[in-house]
Amino acid sequence: MMTREERVEQLQKRPKKGVFNLLWATTAGLGLGWWIYTNASLPMLAAFSFLMMTAVPLSFVTWQKTRTLLTFNEHRSYQRLIRAKGVIAIAMLWGMLGLMFGYVSGYFALPVFSGLSAMLIAGMLVVETWLDTRLLRIDHEHVADSLLGFTKRERLKQKWENE
């Protein structure tokens, strides 16, 4: 079984390049093709491009992180909860960007958009906290997102102090 430090190392050394170039090219091609095909208005094109440029790469990164977390523990409940956490994170991302697209397209008014966004974010925070608590009960060496962010900041501080 891996220690928490080894897990943090493995999560931080995931590949960060390569696929993004392909995703950016695909997104640009989709956006340009969509605009040419529909001759849409500029705000709609901007919203669609923003959606594709953020949702696709972030979904890929979340999927990749989920696959890495699945290798840390072979316990069935642990893997089930990790998969659920990954699916919920991707669904929240697409849901939030869908709400933004709905607001830009005029489907939602600002108060409705704000209320739905606040409910989605609050629900996501509650579910993420609950999932991390359950995961820590199963595997005491589980790396929560807050710990991963903390170690990244600490390493950046050490790097700056050493320079």
Side-chain angles (χ1 to χ4, degrees):
M1 181 120 94
M2 300 174 79
T3 64
R4 184 171 284 152
E5 290 80 20
E6 292 170 338
R7 292 178 184 194
V8 168
E9 285 293 324
Q10 193 169 354
L11 281 169
Q12 288 183 346
K13 71 177 183 180
R14 285 182 292 138
K16 300 189 184 327
K17 295 182 182 178
V19 176
F20 284 107
N21 293 336
L22 175 66
L23 291 173
W24 284 107
T26 303
T27 302
L30 282 173
L32 182 62
W34 183 70
W35 181 73
I36 291 170
Y37 179 71
T38 62
N39 200 11
S41 66
L42 189 57
M44 290 295 284
L45 179 62
F48 178 75
S49 299
F50 177 75
L51 179 74
M52 294 308 293
M53 285 188 205
T54 55
V56 173
L58 289 175
S59 295
F60 179 77
V61 168
T62 302
W63 171 73
Q64 198 176 33
K65 179 182 172 190
T66 301
R67 287 189 55 198
T68 303
L69 285 169
L70 285 172
T71 63
F72 294 158
N73 192 332
E74 294 183 13
H75 193 269
R76 189 174 182 184
S77 296
Y78 180 85
Q79 291 200 348
R80 181 176 46 88
L81 290 172
I82 289 293
R83 282 189 187 98
K85 189 174 177 179
V87 167
I88 290 169
I90 292 172
M92 193 261 190
L93 171 70
W94 281 91
M96 194 67 199
L97 291 172
L99 286 174
M100 291 170 66
F101 191 72
Y103 172 69
V104 168
S105 66
Y107 188 72
F108 297 127
L110 184 59
V112 174
F113 168 70
S114 300
L116 288 173
S117 297
M119 287 181 1
L120 185 65
I121 292 169
M124 179 66 178
L125 290 173
V126 168
V127 169
E128 286 278 331
T129 303
W130 179 76
L131 283 172
D132 277 337
T133 303
R134 294 281 310 263
L135 286 165
L136 282 167
R137 282 188 206 152
I138 295 169
D139 184 3
H140 297 291
E141 297 292 323
H142 171 68
V143 180
D145 292 332
S146 58
L147 178 63
L148 188 60
F150 177 74
T151 56
K152 283 182 183 178
R153 284 190 301 275
E154 289 299 315
R155 286 186 180 178
L156 191 58
K157 280 186 197 176
Q158 288 176 357
K159 181 180 172 185
W160 285 345
E161 289 174 359
N162 292 336
E163 289 180 353

